[in-house]
Amino acid sequence: MRKSTGLSFSHVGIFVNDLEVMASFYSDVLDFTITDRGHLQGPHGPIDLVFTSRDPDVHHQIVLVSGRPEEIDFNVVNQISLTADSIETLQAFYQRLQTAGVTELTPVTHGNALSVYFRDPEGNRIELYIDTPWYVSQPMRVPMPIELPADELLAWAEQHARVLPGFRPRSEWRAEMAKLMGVE
């Protein structure tokens, strides 16, 4: 049996075209702090880096790196996901993103999470989300009425999730996964 110990996810780095536009977006719109900047010699020439974080204990959570080729016609980044601490935070960022004019701003429920998707200035898909206290089989995605008051939105999401395949408390799903991963 495999054990899921010894590794945990830490950060992601993405290549960008316009480092300053991207650094401004991540710091001004998503409240990341620029923790460092610098230059390195990369395999194809010099690169500039901007390190960002929202956690004072973590030097960087997202690294922006110059050198994204202009001729790439497909973005290999499916999404970068950030956890919100509450429905109210998710709703506040939704309003902020509307004001910022982001593209593809889409609030959805996955049954086990409430999410807001959008594109950063270079087309990378970002997800802001909160987990719900239950699990449903995935994939599942439907639009959600994010404008509802937080308690009504959660009640709406639960009512919707209860009729979906696999509905059960998240704690049951977690126990099943812990056993499967050998980390009971």
Side-chain angles (χ1 to χ4, degrees):
M1 180 177 288
R2 157 182 137 231
K3 298 231 186 243
S4 294
T5 58
L7 296 178
S8 62
F9 184 77
S10 171
H11 60 274
V12 65
I14 59 173
F15 285 107
V16 303
N17 289 314
D18 191 326
L19 192 61
E20 293 311 312
V21 165
M22 294 291 278
S24 292
F25 178 81
Y26 281 85
S27 62
D28 296 343
V29 177
L30 296 180
D31 291 337
F32 278 81
T33 297
I34 295 174
T35 61
D36 259 322
R37 290 176 171 265
H39 313 282
L40 287 177
Q41 186 62 33
H44 304 290
I47 56 173
D48 296 314
L49 299 98
V50 174
F51 299 87
T52 69
S53 183
R54 289 180 51 101
D55 183 339
D57 292 325
V58 179
H59 176 266
H60 58 279
Q61 294 172 311
I62 297 179
V63 183
L64 306 170
V65 184
S66 67
R68 181 176 179 165
E70 294 284 341
E71 64 277 357
I72 292 178
D73 62 352
F74 180 80
N75 188 345
V76 298
V77 175
N78 177 269
Q79 71 189 42
I80 299 169
S81 298
L82 306 169
T83 306
D85 61 3
S86 67
I87 290 176
E88 292 83 1
T89 296
L90 194 65
Q91 291 172 319
F93 271 100
Y94 178 78
Q95 291 173 349
R96 177 186 275 190
L97 293 162
Q98 282 183 310
T99 302
V102 301
T103 60
E104 299 181 31
L105 183 58
T106 310
V108 302
T109 180
H110 294 291
N112 61 354
L114 306 180
S115 301
V116 172
Y117 289 92
F118 58 95
R119 300 282 177 174
D120 74 13
E122 292 191 1
N124 299 299
R125 186 167 62 163
I126 309 293
E127 175 193 26
L128 307 180
Y129 76 97
I130 63 159
D131 286 323
T132 63
W134 51 83
Y135 169 82
V136 301
S137 299
Q138 296 297 309
M140 199 293 296
R141 176 182 164 136
V142 299
M144 75 171 173
I146 196 165
E147 299 83 10
L148 290 176
D151 59 338
E152 291 178 32
L153 180 57
L154 189 61
W156 173 88
E158 182 176 6
Q159 181 180 6
H160 177 266
R162 284 188 172 276
V163 301
L164 297 172
F167 179 85
R168 62 185 183 265
R170 182 175 290 276
S171 59
E172 288 179 17
W173 177 84
R174 189 209 177 276
E176 180 184 325
M177 290 301 109
K179 184 175 182 179
L180 183 66
M181 295 175 191
V183 294
E184 303 161 311

